[in-house]
Amino acid sequence: MALLTCLAAGCTTGGGPADDRGGADREPSRSDGPRPAAGPVLAVKIDNARPARPHTGLNAADIVYVEPVEGGLSRLMAVYATTLPEVVGPVRSARESDLELLRQFDRPVLAFSGAQGRLLPLIDGAPLEAATPGAANGAYHRDRDRPAPHNLYLRPERVLPSAPGAAALTTGFRHGAAPAGGTPETSRTVRYPAARFTFTWSEERRRWLVSTDGTPAVTTDAGPVAPATVVVQYVKVRTSDFRDYLGNHTPYTETVGSGRAEVLRDGRAYDVTWKRPKATDGTEFTTRDGGRVAFAEGQVWVVLAKA
């Protein structure tokens, strides 16, 4: 409870492990406003560089978003509502487009290692709780067996006393029977300029086995990464006004609007349309005849790919 009081009061600076890139990123200074009665989800920015793998706590997430970042690489945003793992990580820094993506949730808690200095006022003004190392003293630790900056880990129970439950997942996602049609699919690869993800259907497990850059994705605590549904959502990716510490422009992924997507479930692929009219809305997926698309029960991966 002390930590939650600190977050609500804006205690987001101070001690804790240093952020990645030698302190180039900083932490927001405040976070105002009441939390929803149902409780917030926990969103964690997760490093996906090769030295950051294997991940910890990823399989407990309800939703995993795959986002493009500088240099053609990727990062993950794991969203937790029904289960909080003991440890999650490695944790890395936030990006501008995270704020738009998170508006669909009711005042989420965002755990991240820091952010580019000019981005901090936007984070301060966003309707979320910033759980950084400085705000959440004792919630983060460094794994001495891994190289920095790929070794910062979060203990979720230190920033959220309990999982809020499925009602906090205000994404518009629905679970239920598969739509009619679709085509058989055994493997699907999505490529970024410097990263690739392959999803291979396992009939035995009734799940999509994930490989990243050609290597099977596993976790340190719960085995292979295997979502029940994979969504490849084609979006506009533009250059933002922000740069990383090397001077590279950060890509901005637009998740408000509409476009095409592919839904992979039950060993089949479905061509669908996505629509999110405004940032506070969830995303609706529909077939060509306008029917709502339901996902299989279990974890959902949403891969944000350039349209």
Side-chain angles (χ1 to χ4, degrees):
M1 292 302 295
L3 173 62
L4 293 179
T5 301
C6 181
L7 285 174
C11 308
T12 51
T13 59
D19 184 37
D20 46 293
R21 300 202 290 273
D25 291 342
R26 293 178 170 80
E27 299 177 2
S29 61
R30 63 176 177 82
S31 185
D32 303 323
R35 284 208 171 97
V41 300
L42 171 65
V44 184
K45 285 305 299 287
I46 296 180
D47 194 350
N48 199 39
R50 289 180 186 270
R53 307 173 202 148
H55 299 112
T56 299
L58 190 61
N59 280 352
D62 295 277
I63 304 167
V64 176
Y65 290 96
V66 182
E67 305 171 301
V69 292
E70 304 82 7
L73 297 171
S74 66
R75 284 194 182 167
L76 309 177
M77 180 185 286
V79 178
Y80 300 87
T82 59
T83 302
L84 296 180
E86 184 177 348
V87 176
V88 176
V91 180
R92 288 297 291 271
S93 54
R95 295 293 184 272
E96 181 187 10
S97 52
D98 296 334
L99 305 183
E100 178 178 284
L101 184 60
L102 287 171
R103 286 292 306 278
Q104 65 193 302
F105 300 106
D106 292 325
R107 202 163 187 83
V109 174
L110 174 60
F112 60 107
S113 60
Q116 198 268 353
R118 290 179 53 238
L119 180 57
L120 297 181
L122 297 183
I123 297 176
D124 281 346
L128 58 80
E129 302 287 359
T132 58
N137 290 324
Y140 290 86
H141 67 277
R142 294 278 183 185
D143 183 346
R144 297 182 181 276
D145 294 330
R146 290 202 180 198
H150 314 288
N151 64 348
L152 181 66
Y153 290 84
L154 170 73
R155 298 180 181 90
E157 75 278 0
R158 302 287 181 91
V159 298
L160 206 61
S162 62
L169 293 170
T170 52
T171 57
F173 295 177
R174 301 173 65 182
H175 295 277
T183 58
E185 185 72 86
T186 58
S187 182
R188 176 72 168 87
T189 296
V190 182
R191 300 179 185 275
Y192 288 3
R196 74 182 189 275
F197 298 84
T198 298
F199 303 93
T200 302
W201 176 248
S202 168
E203 188 66 35
E204 178 182 3
R205 295 197 58 184
R206 305 293 297 175
R207 293 290 186 270
W208 297 91
L209 301 177
V210 181
S211 292
T212 307
D213 300 328
T215 301
V218 297
T219 61
T220 62
D221 57 333
V225 179
T229 303
V230 177
V231 179
V232 184
Q233 184 177 343
Y234 294 95
V235 299
K236 293 180 181 178
V237 181
R238 59 174 172 81
T239 301
S240 78
D241 294 331
F242 297 91
R243 299 174 184 261
D244 68 6
Y245 77 114
L246 292 175
N248 300 312
H249 276 286
T250 300
Y252 188 100
T253 304
E254 297 186 9
T255 54
V256 171
S258 62
R260 67 184 184 95
E262 297 169 89
V263 173
L264 308 178
R265 58 163 295 176
D266 305 324
R268 302 184 73 84
Y270 300 85
D271 292 326
V272 304
T273 298
W274 69 269
K275 181 174 65 175
R276 185 182 176 202
K278 57 183 185 296
T280 52
D281 292 334
T283 304
E284 182 179 298
F285 297 89
T286 57
T287 58
R288 290 181 180 178
D289 62 5
R292 292 286 297 274
V293 176
F295 300 159
E297 291 288 345
Q299 187 180 78
V300 177
W301 273 51
V302 180
V303 184
L304 300 172
K306 187 174 183 178

